[in-house]
Amino acid sequence: MQFIADTHTHTIMSGHAYSTLSENMAAAAQAGLRFLCSTEHASLMPDAPHFLYFDGMRILPDSLSGVYLIRGCEVDIVDVKGTLDLPENTLKKLEWVIASLHPPVYRPAGVEAHTETWLQIARNPLVDVIGHCGDGRYRFDYETVIREFARNGKIVEINANSFRVREGSQENCRVIAQLCKKHGVRIVVSSDAHHCSWIGNFGPVPQMLQEIGFPEEQILNANYERFAATLEKKTGRSFPVING
């Protein structure tokens, strides 16, 4: 299984990552990727950039090192109501919005609360991607929520970094992927890279997807045309094939 995009990456702007945007883009080119989504944490994460950073991403070039740059954010979910830590006007300017739960912003609160939180996020039209929801600290009613993601056209991320650092993610992501398969939910596979050496490293996720027979046509970043069409619909940008 090959991938043409890494959809979740961080730079030094997130405060706890260690490479620049240019270094990440060069690493993406070296890995043979066509797209890189740059998705810094939002304002309530410790040391994360101010919302003006995201407002200003429009000045960045559309591509670096021959790789298309997708201007995004990993926005933090603040509470059970699904409040996000970037203003709506800023979110509307971004090309790729991941919503995630992190303990410094949203303390784990139990299955019922987490379920309601994700149901609220499912109904938010400004959120494109559901970030690393296999985290064992934030268990929820998977069947109910994945069905709602399907109804609202959300993309579910299977996060390779979670398999290493978030307890229970390997088992939970398998269940989530199986439910995405069942309900026709599109997914992306991401590295969640915090250093350029991790860009395009998807660890054991592809093998897990093969083991459960996950349909390739539901994996957005496993196909150039599929991923480009999704971005074109979201952003209005045009993505011709690189080098033919």
Side-chain angles (χ1 to χ4, degrees), residues 60 69 82 84 87 90 105-106 123 132 166 187 189 196 215 228:
L60 295 171
L69 171 63
L84 303 176
T90 299
V105 179
Y106 182 124
R123 297 160 191 153
H132 52 68
R166 296 183 180 97
I187 71 167
V189 179
C196 60

Side-chain angles (χ1 to χ4, degrees), residues 1-31:
M1 189 178 297
Q2 294 186 333
F3 297 90
I4 49 77
D6 196 339
T7 61
H8 184 155
T9 65
H10 296 278
T11 77
I12 54 174
M13 290 303 299
S14 280
H16 58 281
Y18 301 92
S19 301
T20 66
L21 178 60
S22 294
E23 288 169 334
N24 280 359
M25 297 300 290
Q30 184 67 28

